[in-house]
Amino acid sequence: MSSGGPRLFLLLPLFAVIAAFLLYPLGFLFRQSIGGTSGFDFESYKALFCDSYARAALIHSLLLSSLVAVSSTLVCLPSAWLFAHNLFPAQRVVRAIFTLPMSFSGIIMGFLTVIMLGRIGVVPQLAQKLFGHDYLSGSAYRLHGLVIAYLYFEIPRATLTLESSFRKFDRRLSLAARSLGANGWQRFSYVLLPLIWLPLLSTFAVTFSASLGSFGVALIVARRFSLLPLEIYQQIIGYGNPRLMSAMAITLVTIAFLVNYSVRLAGDRQQRVI
Amino acid sequence: MTKFKPGLVTAHLLTWLLLIVVIAPLLVVILGAFLNVSFLGLASEQWAARKGDGIFNHGWFAYVFHLYGSNILFSLLLAGLSVVIGAAISLPGAYILATCRWRGLRIFEEVVLLPLSIPGIAMSIGLIEAYITFRGQWWLILCGHILYTVPLMTRVLTNSLRSFDIARLELVAQSLGAGWWHRFVFVVVPNLRHSLIVGSLLVFAVSWGEFNVSYLLNTPLHQTYPAALYATFTANSFQVSSAATTIFLALIIPILFALQWLGGDEFTHVEQSA
Amino acid sequence: MLETIGLRKSYGSQLAVDDFSHRFAPGKITTILGPSGSGKSTVLGMIAGLLQPDRGRVELGGRDLTSISPERRDFGMVFQHYALFPHLNVQQNVEFGLRVRRLTRKRRAERARETLQMIRIEHLADRRIREISGGEQQRVALARAIAIRPKVLLMDEPLSALDARLREELRSELLRLLRDLAITTIYVTHDQIEAMTLGHEMIILNHGQVEQAGPPDELYLRPASLFVANFLGDSNVFAAESEEVSERLRLPFATINLQPNGHNSSPNEHSSRCWAMIRPESMELVPEGEADFAATVESATFLGNRLRLQLRAAGEKVIVDVENRCAVSPSAPVYVKVKGAEVATWPR
Amino acid sequence: MLETIGLRKSYGSQLAVDDFSHRFAPGKITTILGPSGSGKSTVLGMIAGLLQPDRGRVELGGRDLTSISPERRDFGMVFQHYALFPHLNVQQNVEFGLRVRRLTRKRRAERARETLQMIRIEHLADRRIREISGGEQQRVALARAIAIRPKVLLMDEPLSALDARLREELRSELLRLLRDLAITTIYVTHDQIEAMTLGHEMIILNHGQVEQAGPPDELYLRPASLFVANFLGDSNVFAAESEEVSERLRLPFATINLQPNGHNSSPNEHSSRCWAMIRPESMELVPEGEADFAATVESATFLGNRLRLQLRAAGEKVIVDVENRCAVSPSAPVYVKVKGAEVATWPR
Amino acid sequence: GKAADKVVIQYDCIPNYANWGGVTAEYTRETGVRIPPDMKGSSAAMAALEAEKANPQADCAYYSAAIGYQASEKGLHQSYKPKGWEKIPSSLKDPGGLWWTVHTAYIGLIVNKSALKGKPVPQSFADLLKPDYKGMVVYDDPTILGTGFTYVYGINAILKGGPDMNAGFAYLKKLDANILNYAKDTVYNDVLRGEIPIWINADGNGLKMKYVDKGDIEVVIPREGTIAMPLVMAMVKNDPHPDATKPYLDWLLSDTAQKIMAESFFRPVMHVQLSAALQKEFLPESAYAKAVVLPLAEMAANADAVKERWTNEIKH
Ligand SMILES: Nc1ncnc2c1ncn2[C@@H]1O[C@H](COP(=O)(O)OP(=O)(O)OP(=O)(O)O)[C@@H](O)[C@H]1O
Ligand SMILES: Nc1ncnc2c1ncn2[C@@H]1O[C@H](COP(=O)(O)OP(=O)(O)OP(=O)(O)O)[C@@H](O)[C@H]1O
Ligand SMILES: [Mg+2]
Ligand SMILES: [Mg+2]
């Protein structure tokens, strides 16, 4: 009923920004990746997927991101649940603290990781003092160190996404289930789970694409561990091959987009089903 | 109710654990900035900071301001501009997105929100490569930030517009004789005041901490504070890095707390994408 | 005078309103009653100009309004869900329409005051919206609508969000207020009592079409169709036959005298088969001698001001309302007399 | 037999329910009626075990249920907003309670079938929840609740989300069904007619306290308090005085004969001042001679099965219901007789 | 404008490398001209300059000689002969003034003894291959940092390898097993803190850790020998602030500047009087007996090839 026609021009600024700063650059990158206007080919992509090193970076990235996404989703599940049902003391403060890492750029995460889990990090040194052995020493530079760093980074995202989806869950349903004789576990498996597996997925998607993109952490801690964003970074600061670099970037974007979009589609389908 | 619930208890414990994990590194860093902690290793740059006697010492802050003061100012400027421009662009845009039922707009909205889910580094090299001629212009960094913050603001606004069913209010206003301009000024904007505040804080925080997009866009003269942080992490001693980080936190923490107190539910699932 | 001529609206394939034509008596209240989904809100939307009719037009004093946008029609509107402006307080809400009409702050204030007084909520003037109850919110919504002195007042189920008791209260208040105001009012509801008590005139909609229009008592006493008979109030409907001498009507379980009263459209010539509708209150329990038919009580439900009997007469279910103190024992035989003057019939 | 003993619940400072004690007749329907916020849902919640009472207890057949968690009470529950499981279809919803009781798929299926048949919605079995209408959803919710053969059935305003017409339909269906099932049922509503028609017994709650409990007709005809008198049905309440010879009652505008009928609690000794309540249907228009008092008609509203007159007698407002065809002209004088036997009085 | 002239942009101006932090601080103190820190390594700096050819951002750049030479070949520099230019040995400057040395350093092993956790201090490149040092050794990524490049290129010469460089790469491949990582940025503080036990880098940095920052550090010139690494300045072509830059470049060759560099144990290219105490802290000349001096032209010519080979053979 609100006649959109005359007001559409209000959209122009937004459109301009997106077109100029998002669509054009990405388009440019793509063009570059397939070799510009003059006869194009997909050499760079071939290189990316076949050349052992680049492929390793790609695989590492995917591996790390999925690892982080899964673990962060699981780790934050209980807290999110508590928050959603306002069961935690001084909830606001706690939530605020939880959201801290979100605005940290990855580099701070990296720094913190080194400080805590480096070869002479706080944790190993405490361990040394307490147990006489420097447990976790130098783990910052290994895969699990990296995962921990990213995890730290994803805690707020995961918690908030999960919390909001828990909040959306209608508690009357679980009351109804109770009145029908469903015990805690049955309520969880028969009612809660079927209704929130999608939110779980979307949490996964959010954290996944976030860790896929952030290279600040890796910049500092990733030692012998190459990641796609790092490669892109190296390509641009050192002597790199612009085509390959563009290809890498486009690949990153595509993956992130696909993951998010497919989850969205799944969501819509369930909406239609429910 | 009053019964002992093991699940609940473990959930609480886990949350407390997470809480510690989140806070501990920050405490270490903040202490490191004020105290002459030696067990984390020696500090270079003796020639730079006048070490106070005793364990307390503020010299490092002076040093950080001396070396990176300009970056702080620049980042503040960027954040400020991002907020203003972001609001100016997002407000009308969000209004249309939330009120027009035209099919095409849904797709456009997806595109607008894209930057929230695709890797920042991809966008930044996109900007660099596409606008190579402007390389080294400081406003290219601003563009990077806008590209990242406008979707955020837009999302906050559309969410809250939808949450209070702006369409119905507009109908009433219309029946009371208000044309679309009146409706926009007297109905839409006033109802968005709160969301605008929240959105601005969010944008400010994100822009202040943004690294992925802007790092590569930095120029020698114009570097964002996170970039400076990175510099301190690599080049300066732990104490200096800590001081720098502490300065970063000093700005971010109040904002995040403010957000918790101001932000209603419709924002929680926006923060996650920050 | 407000008039709609052949309004028609369909959403996609589905026809929401078809050929809605009516002349709304000036200064009077017309209620539109119909089941959910019958097109009431759609009609209102088209009159307000918020919806574009596919066909037909709306005229005010002979002037076609089609091309006039809603904000320039000066129609007040009240919605089911109040839709008060959350960022304004009560007074500011009421002033809104005046503000966009560029009235001076002073004039606005006094107009708002007197409107609030009229509705007896001046004490709420400075409250925030979320600080007042549902009933009060509805009053404010009304105040906001009439403050602009609308040419026409449109209300879409204004009370249906309130609980039963509150609804009654507000209903009688509205009655007083609207009749005093004497604004041409169109009032959409799906509550019969509301429709009958408030309306000078009543329109019954079904599947987007007007079933019958007229004063409430006429619709109730002389329903023009089976639908109206069933939809408005409770009724017994029987397949009947009127005898040649059309004074007598043969029901499945009895034959009764029909005093000719104009209510019963004369059954068509060829056949004398017809539908007969008898209201529960149009029958009474009488001594055996005077009865039209005997029946047994299946159940008796207490409705407060009356007692509803479920009777069975020759296999047919019959509901009869009797005095609330009347003592009947279930499955006892009772003798019923039909007030012949109150039977309505249609050819079938 | 289900019994509650001194149930009490407060939210923070505010007392929601206080000292709620009642023995619920086995196999019968008890309706709880009260204004919004009077504590109805809270009572139900405590009986279901979803809320912990601050004090008091719930007993079933003499067994204290306090320590038994809701899921092990075998109480069926129907919520105002159905709360159907969106991810299950109709049949699966109905089967849910049986599934968690570990019935075999086959037994579940047939039990579900017969329940659906009982409620006459077997044709919906395979539909998704969002594909069925509100009324149907409510039926499914009911089916889901009774499928587990509950010891007690609890319903919280099951119909209030439906529109007027649909509500009536479902009400009469519920009536049939519940009376057939003969499960002990507690039915919360704020709709008087629902409460009176469905309930074998009725409890009137106000501010968390029981105002009166008993069969509907008793509550209506012999209200124990002014609140009940005003809340249940329409009534005229006057400040009156009963004369020494307590057969006569002096109203502001007339003096009437009270046939002693036990309804009117004898006014206390010291003073003879009392409240008198007269129902609109307890008065009738009569020829001048037989009248208790004369009055003038202020307005007449058509209510379908009756006509409501707003009279004024010696300055007092009096509402009287008369036959719907009765012809009265506004501001005409009328003569009214009070059915003395139907007047209720309380000391004031 | 006025304000703009108050800064000079120097690429590769890492505060903790060759004490640039101190040097620039001193210059700012004297003249008020600001030289912001810049974290690019030599190669990164060259890459940036090339990318910015259209509108240069930097005024001058600091390289390890070979990269500086290469950059000049790419035509990224403009000719400038700062005061005292003539005093620089001709082998250490471009006759056209496209680059010139400011100080020299030698590749050595910077060892944080406490971080060794009791393991013996390695004395030679050969020692580094011992499993003892697994995950303890760091050298700079040659594709980004000049020092790293100089080492990767020079190790072959030290090991008496032929022009095919196989010897060097064979060694690096073995060393790879013990590498903690290939640093993309200076790890000065990581070494000082003990985060990194062994860093193959300019000896000057190590000595500074030892004497200035009082770290538990030992600087070892490997038995096999070491590589002389001239570090050069160059003025960028079409730079934004030439007027501010030239005085700065002059000043860098002045006694004050050279002394400050010397205080961080990078050997000044100019002859400056150093205090006896400072003299003692420098390693004895004898230590550098077996220092190899690499032919810059050839080095520059092969630079890209070597970097690529390193990337393919070692890093992957
Ligand atoms: N925006 C819409 N899009 C599609 N169909 C619609 C829309 N609005 C109404 N309809 C359909 O048009 C018909 C009439 O709707 P309308 O809202 O006018 O009925 P109503 O009488 O107001 O119902 P209710 O009493 O529930 O308000 C309904 O069948 C409805 O499904
Ligand atoms: N969760 C709660 N927290 C605080 N107060 C509550 C809560 N639930 C109910 N109350 C208060 O307790 C009182 C009784 O509430 P309850 O819902 O039982 O009333 P009700 O009769 O069911 O009202 P309604 O007819 O609107 O459902 C009300 O005043 C309500 O404000
Ligand atoms: Mg409607
Ligand atoms: Mg309730």
Side-chain angles (χ1 to χ4, degrees), chain B residues 139-241:
Chain B
W139 51 261
L140 206 54
I141 310 177
L142 181 62
C143 295
H145 279 233
I146 300 238
L147 172 61
Y148 198 68
T149 50
V150 157
L152 205 55
M153 185 66 105
T154 310
R155 184 153 174 194
V156 175
L157 295 181
T158 45
N159 277 339
S160 88
L161 278 173
R162 293 192 171 117
S163 73
F164 63 80
D165 190 358
I166 191 67
R168 185 183 285 146
L169 290 186
E170 278 206 84
L171 275 188
V172 184
Q174 207 172 1
S175 76
L176 289 169
W180 73 263
W181 177 246
H182 274 138
R183 298 204 294 271
F184 185 63
V185 175
F186 291 145
V187 180
V188 177
V189 174
N191 278 298
L192 283 179
R193 211 192 301 106
H194 182 77
S195 329
L196 275 173
I197 296 173
V198 172
S200 306
L201 286 175
L202 211 53
V203 166
F204 195 94
V206 169
S207 157
W208 169 251
E210 209 297 314
F211 180 79
N212 292 355
V213 176
S214 50
Y215 180 59
L216 292 173
L217 297 172
N218 281 317
T219 75
L221 270 183
H222 302 99
Q223 300 214 340
T224 63
Y225 189 51
L229 276 179
Y230 179 53
T232 65
F233 296 158
T234 56
N236 298 95
S237 68
F238 166 68
Q239 284 80 348
V240 177
S241 318

Side-chain angles (χ1 to χ4, degrees), chain B residues 35-52:
Chain B
L35 309 178
N36 292 324
V37 282
S38 56
F39 76 97
L40 280 174
L42 296 155
S44 64
E45 299 155 90
Q46 260 65 357
W47 40 262
R50 303 276 137 272
K51 286 185 134 200

Side-chain angles (χ1 to χ4, degrees), chain C residues 11 14 16 34-43 80 156-157 188 190:
Chain C
Y11 296 101
Q14 172 220 42
S36 178
S38 55
K40 307 185 292 294
S41 302
T42 308
V43 167
Q80 172 173 6
D156 192 349
E157 302 185 10
V188 159
H190 53 229

Side-chain angles (χ1 to χ4, degrees), chain D residues 66-130:
Chain D
T66 314
S67 62
I68 299 184
S69 69
E71 54 265 38
R72 289 188 288 106
R73 290 190 184 189
D74 280 342
F75 286 7
M77 201 155 181
V78 179
F79 299 82
Q80 174 172 9
H81 296 287
Y82 327 138
L84 295 173
F85 302 119
H87 59 295
L88 304 176
N89 68 18
V90 169
Q91 169 135 11
Q92 290 162 330
N93 264 278
V94 177
E95 284 182 9
F96 187 92
L98 311 169
R99 185 149 139 234
V100 299
R101 280 177 178 63
R102 303 254 186 299
L103 265 64
T104 64
R105 168 167 284 99
K106 205 169 136 305
R107 301 252 347 270
R108 264 160 33 196
E110 66 201 25
R111 178 90 73 88
R113 280 252 159 264
E114 68 200 36
T115 317
L116 289 172
Q117 274 160 7
M118 195 187 309
I119 303 184
R120 305 197 183 131
I121 48 172
E122 56 272 46
H123 58 285
L124 299 177
D126 303 325
R127 295 271 203 89
R128 303 215 136 275
I129 296 310
R130 60 192 291 282

Side-chain angles (χ1 to χ4, degrees), chain C residues 36 163-165 190 192 197 217 220-221 230-231 281 302-306 323-325 339 342, chain D residues 36 163-165 190 192 196-197 217 220-221 230-231 281 302-306 323-325 339 342:
Chain C
S36 178
D163 84 24
R165 197 73 205 171
H190 53 229
Q192 302 189 14
T197 50
D217 54 350
Y220 183 87
L221 300 175
N230 287 319
F231 185 73
E281 69 273 12
F302 185 79
L303 298 179
N305 57 9
R306 62 198 195 281
E323 220 248 332
N324 57 11
R325 277 177 175 67
K339 300 176 185 166
E342 306 183 2
Chain D
S36 178
D163 84 22
R165 195 73 208 173
H190 53 230
Q192 302 189 14
M196 288 193 290
T197 49
D217 55 350
Y220 182 87
L221 299 175
N230 287 319
F231 185 74
E281 68 274 12
F302 184 78
L303 298 180
N305 57 9
R306 62 200 195 280
E323 218 249 333
N324 58 8
R325 277 178 175 66
K339 300 176 185 165
E342 306 183 3

